[in-house]
Amino acid sequence: MILLPVLLFFLNKKELKKSKQVIFLYASVIFLLRFAYTFFFTNFPLTAQIIYTLYTPLEFGIIIYFFHYTLNYYFHKKAVLLSGILFLVYYIKTIFSSPLGEFNSMINGISLLLTLAYSLLYYYEQLRYPSTLFIYAQPDFWFITGFFMYAAGAFFVFLFRESSVSNSEFLTQYLYIHSFSSILRSILFSIAMITKPEKARAPEFF
Amino acid sequence: MFLLQALQSGNVTYVVYFGTFGMLFLAVGLIVFIVFHQRKVIYYQLRMRNMQADHQRILLQASLNSQEEERQRLAADLHDDAGPLLATVRLYLNENLIHQDPATQLQSIYNAKQIVDDTIQLIRNISHSLIPPTLKNFGLESAMADLIQKINGAGSIHASCRFHDYTRRIKLEQELSVFRILQELINNILKHSHSSFIHVTQNKTEDHIYLRVHHDGEGLTQTEYEKLRDVPNGLGLKNIHSRIRILNSRIYFDKDATNTYFKVTIELPIDALM
């Protein structure tokens, strides 16, 4: 499903909006990492574990870049950059202190909370200083809503995954909820990919 | 509470279901709120912009009306006063052509000269009403002193004027606007306030020049001024507002703390000085 926005990006290639390129990169990286993980899982478990470990920092790095580019206000940009770098530093520290390839609920929970916070910053900016008449006519709105819905949907399953790894009922539930969140995100990204940005600007503040 | 009980009993799946549902519900609610609220904000801004455009249109119309009135007044002065005078001179000069008697001619020329003198005086008065020569030559302080003297001459009201720090004059075109505002304010006080005194003062700080008109009659507050300047009829307050905007300055209408007199303050930026 994550390939859908990638395909739609190619279909709308004429319009090279930077945020679309970043999401194209994001979706491609997620797809390739998942594919590589599945590919190496049986025969090369160590490589698969390394890929698994790299997944979160790569994904979150692109998210930081996306929000840093999309947000308009200097303070917000700096807050995203600073919190993102701090998170990545903390993540690298935990790599050495915990077994390779093991799911860390706290780290993933924090990354989702940060994504939620960044999305709220974007929504705040749009409320405080609206830049367009119809917010949903902007691709960025759909991209950020995709991140927001995914983070909101996956937050609780990520939070309990580490402690409930032996609970088969939970794992099924995890699969359903996580898949639902991922599909929702892909659909919202796809809407963003086919949305043409509105030309008319909102009136300036006076 | 239910969630806590579920968590304690180790039944994580309920917590996850309720938690996820709650988070998604909140997220959707927030997004819907943002979409609608943002649209409301935009419509509010558009409405404000339209109102401002309407206001600008009213001011422009007032300014045009004012110009038109001034032109009509000038036309009337020239037509009703200068026209007949010059026609009379023409008559006297024609008479000279008909009557060759030197004594009659002399009398006729003398009369024509008298009328030409009157016409010169009349044209000078019209010109002075357009820009007072005292203001042009000696500045706002002298022009205000002249105006105050004229008001005192009428005897019905006591007027005074004090400029505390006016060593540097305001730029001429701006000085004329300030003078017109003060003239309009004083005119309004004379017409409507039934006050017993008018006192005009000038002060200066590092950033601003302040001109104040005090009087003890019936005056306007800031709210009343803002309401009245936007009503369709009446030009005076609109012209004041328009001039204040052109001067990039502010005007405040308020009542003194002791409630004994009204005060109008014009605040000009210091760079209005020459």
Side-chain angles (χ1 to χ4, degrees), chain B:
Chain B
M1 198 63 182
F2 176 77
L3 289 176
L4 283 175
Q5 279 171 359
L7 199 58
Q8 277 162 6
S9 65
N11 200 351
V12 174
T13 48
Y14 283 114
V15 180
V16 171
Y17 272 130
F18 280 106
T20 306
F21 177 76
M23 287 289 274
L24 286 173
F25 183 75
L26 281 176
V28 171
L30 187 75
I31 289 161
V32 170
F33 167 76
I34 285 160
V35 167
F36 283 99
H37 187 76
Q38 194 254 8
R39 201 188 277 194
K40 223 160 78 179
V41 169
I42 295 277
Y43 281 132
Y44 174 75
Q45 280 179 21
L46 280 172
R47 218 168 57 223
M48 288 294 286
R49 201 168 66 162
N50 289 342
M51 275 168 72
Q52 212 182 29
D54 285 348
H55 188 230
Q56 287 290 339
R57 217 167 21 246
I58 290 172
L59 281 181
L60 183 69
Q61 192 57 47
S63 168
L64 289 172
N65 289 349
S66 173
Q67 272 183 16
E68 202 51 49
E69 273 189 8
E70 191 71 4
R71 280 181 189 151
Q72 279 174 8
R73 190 183 63 79
L74 272 174
D77 281 358
L78 290 170
H79 179 267
D80 300 346
D81 294 342
L85 285 172
L86 290 171
T88 317
V89 171
R90 192 166 172 269
L91 272 178
Y92 278 119
L93 292 175
N94 269 344
E95 210 173 310
N96 265 359
L97 294 174
I98 299 159
H99 300 284
Q100 299 299 317
D101 172 27
T104 320
Q105 277 188 345
L106 203 63
Q107 182 60 43
S108 174
I109 289 168
Y110 179 76
N111 286 344
K113 183 190 164 286
Q114 285 288 326
I115 296 167
V116 167
D117 284 347
D118 287 351
T119 314
I120 289 168
Q121 189 55 44
L122 175 81
I123 289 169
R124 187 178 283 156
N125 288 343
I126 293 171
S127 156
H128 288 185
S129 72
L130 290 176
I131 176 163
T134 325
L135 179 75
K136 194 177 170 188
N137 299 327
F138 304 105
L140 185 66
E141 189 175 1
S142 305
M144 283 311 296
D146 258 14
L147 182 68
I148 294 295
Q149 203 180 3
K150 277 177 197 157
I151 294 166
N152 278 330
S156 60
I157 192 166
H158 175 72
S160 59
C161 165
R162 180 141 190 213
F163 279 52
H164 292 278
D165 187 359
Y166 200 66
T167 44
R168 278 171 68 200
R169 279 176 65 178
I170 298 172
K171 291 168 194 155
L172 185 62
E173 67 276 19
Q174 300 193 4
E175 205 174 35
L176 180 62
S177 290
V178 174
F179 180 72
R180 291 288 180 228
I181 294 170
L182 289 169
Q183 216 176 15
E184 182 62 34
L185 288 171
I186 290 171
N187 199 23
N188 283 348
I189 295 167
L190 294 174
K191 274 200 311 201
H192 307 295
S193 79
H194 313 293
S195 60
S196 66
F197 79 84
I198 298 172
H199 183 52
V200 181
T201 61
Q202 179 272 339
N203 282 296
K204 198 171 83 178
T205 62
E206 274 186 14
D207 305 319
H208 296 102
I209 309 151
Y210 294 97
L211 286 142
R212 290 194 177 89
V213 183
H214 308 79
H215 68 95
D216 62 345
E218 292 157 25
L220 293 179
T221 59
Q222 189 70 16
T223 328
E224 285 167 338
Y225 161 70
E226 282 167 12
K227 208 157 71 181
L228 284 171
R229 76 171 185 214
D230 292 333
V231 295
N233 46 353
L235 281 177
L237 293 179
K238 282 190 192 70
N239 284 343
I240 289 176
H241 181 56
S242 169
R243 286 196 165 107
I244 286 288
R245 280 173 72 100
I246 291 164
L247 288 168
N248 194 23
S249 54
R250 290 198 173 101
I251 190 162
Y252 305 104
F253 287 75
D254 52 335
K255 215 170 180 181
D256 180 65
T258 56
N259 267 340
T260 47
Y261 59 86
F262 280 90
K263 185 172 69 178
V264 186
T265 307
I266 303 165
E267 183 191 82
L268 294 153
I270 200 76
D271 55 18
L273 288 175
M274 267 184 188

Side-chain angles (χ1 to χ4, degrees), chain A residues 114-151:
Chain A
L114 285 174
T115 310
L116 285 172
Y118 300 160
S119 308
L120 289 175
L121 279 181
Y122 170 81
Y123 292 137
Y124 170 76
E125 279 186 4
Q126 291 303 311
L127 280 185
R128 189 81 181 81
Y129 311 103
S131 61
T132 176
L133 196 55
F134 302 106
I135 191 174
Y136 46 80
Q138 295 298 316
D140 292 350
F141 170 77
W142 292 105
F143 286 135
I144 285 163
T145 305
F147 282 124
F148 190 59
M149 294 303 290
Y150 174 74

Side-chain angles (χ1 to χ4, degrees), chain A residues 27-175:
Chain A
S28 308
V29 165
I30 286 182
F31 173 75
L32 288 174
L33 285 174
R34 282 184 187 171
F35 181 78
Y37 178 76
T38 321
F39 186 76
F40 291 116
F41 187 71
T42 329
N43 298 324
F44 303 97
L46 185 66
T47 315
Q49 280 169 358
I50 291 169
I51 290 168
Y52 190 83
T53 312
L54 285 175
Y55 185 92
T56 304
L58 275 174
E59 182 195 23
F60 197 68
I62 300 171
I63 290 176
I64 292 169
Y65 180 70
F66 176 78
F67 277 100
H68 185 261
Y69 171 76
T70 311
L71 293 173
N72 291 317
Y73 293 91
Y74 178 80
F75 177 72
H76 293 170
K77 279 176 184 283
K78 292 292 155 200
V80 166
L81 205 61
L82 189 72
S83 59
I85 289 169
L86 282 174
F87 171 78
L88 289 175
V89 169
Y90 181 64
Y91 182 83
I92 291 163
K93 194 175 150 263
T94 57
I95 290 174
F96 299 105
S97 59
S98 56
L100 201 64
E102 193 173 273
F103 188 88
N104 187 330
S105 277
M106 198 176 77
I107 284 288
N108 284 286
I110 292 173
S111 80
L112 291 183
L113 274 182
L114 285 174
T115 310
L116 285 172
Y118 300 160
S119 308
L120 289 175
L121 279 181
Y122 170 81
Y123 292 137
Y124 170 76
E125 279 186 4
Q126 291 303 311
L127 280 185
R128 189 81 181 81
Y129 311 103
S131 61
T132 176
L133 196 55
F134 302 106
I135 191 174
Y136 46 80
Q138 295 298 316
D140 292 350
F141 170 77
W142 292 105
F143 286 135
I144 285 163
T145 305
F147 282 124
F148 190 59
M149 294 303 290
Y150 174 74
F155 181 70
F156 269 85
V157 285
F158 273 24
L159 212 60
F160 288 102
R161 186 176 159 181
E162 196 180 352
S163 58
S164 312
V165 76
S166 54
N167 184 344
S168 62
E169 194 187 348
F170 171 79
L171 287 177
T172 317
Q173 189 189 28
Y174 172 84
L175 197 68

